[in-house]
Amino acid sequence: MNATTHPSSGPSSGNDFRATGRPPLKKRPTAFNETNVQSMSSSSNGPMKDVSQARARRLEQNRRAAVESRRRKKVMLEELRRSVAFYTKANSNLKMQNEDLERKIFIAKQRIAQPQMSADETSPVAESKKSV
């Protein structure tokens, strides 16, 4: 293998341990190639029946899993909706409290900012002098 070729482009298609540093790939037998199907169908449908039963079992398990998944999704969605409603109401209450406190702060600041009335202006004697 020279430096310009890719390891998988050689004659061994990447299965040569020396070229790739990996052990050769093993081909997995396929259950449904033509020779297997012919031999299965000619041998009293025993293996074919097992295969179809296994497939039917897998399909049924998959249906059940899908139903359960949809049920869990509905439960989770409903829980999220309840959470949204709860936190929306809590947020609204906090906003109202915040507005109330800001109003109280504003009133307190106005009172502080008003000029302090002197003791003379508030006494009854000072009031009578003003009117004269």
Side-chain angles (χ1 to χ4, degrees), residues 26-127:
K26 294 181 181 176
K27 287 192 174 186
R28 299 175 83 185
T30 58
F32 295 110
N33 62 25
E34 290 179 30
T35 56
N36 287 347
V37 170
Q38 289 172 356
S39 65
M40 281 191 232
S41 62
S42 65
S43 63
S44 74
N45 286 338
M48 188 64 110
K49 193 181 264 187
D50 291 341
V51 170
S52 65
Q53 286 176 347
R55 182 174 186 270
R57 188 171 46 250
R58 279 194 319 272
L59 289 173
E60 183 60 30
Q61 284 178 333
N62 189 26
R63 281 187 204 101
R64 288 181 187 153
V67 166
E68 180 63 20
S69 177
R70 287 189 291 270
R71 185 195 65 77
R72 282 194 315 264
K73 185 177 179 181
K74 281 182 183 179
V75 168
M76 188 174 70
L77 189 60
E78 186 57 36
E79 189 174 316
L80 286 172
R81 286 182 176 144
R82 279 191 301 245
S83 293
V84 166
F86 172 80
Y87 288 117
T88 301
K89 185 175 181 180
N91 189 30
S92 176
N93 289 338
L94 289 172
K95 283 182 179 180
M96 287 175 26
Q97 287 178 357
N98 188 34
E99 289 171 2
D100 185 46
L101 291 172
E102 284 180 346
R103 187 175 35 79
K104 287 180 180 179
I105 289 171
F106 179 75
I107 291 169
K109 283 182 178 179
Q110 280 184 333
R111 288 182 182 162
I112 292 171
Q114 288 178 351
Q116 294 284 337
M117 297 182 132
S118 65
D120 293 340
E121 294 174 359
T122 58
S123 68
V125 175
E127 292 294 323

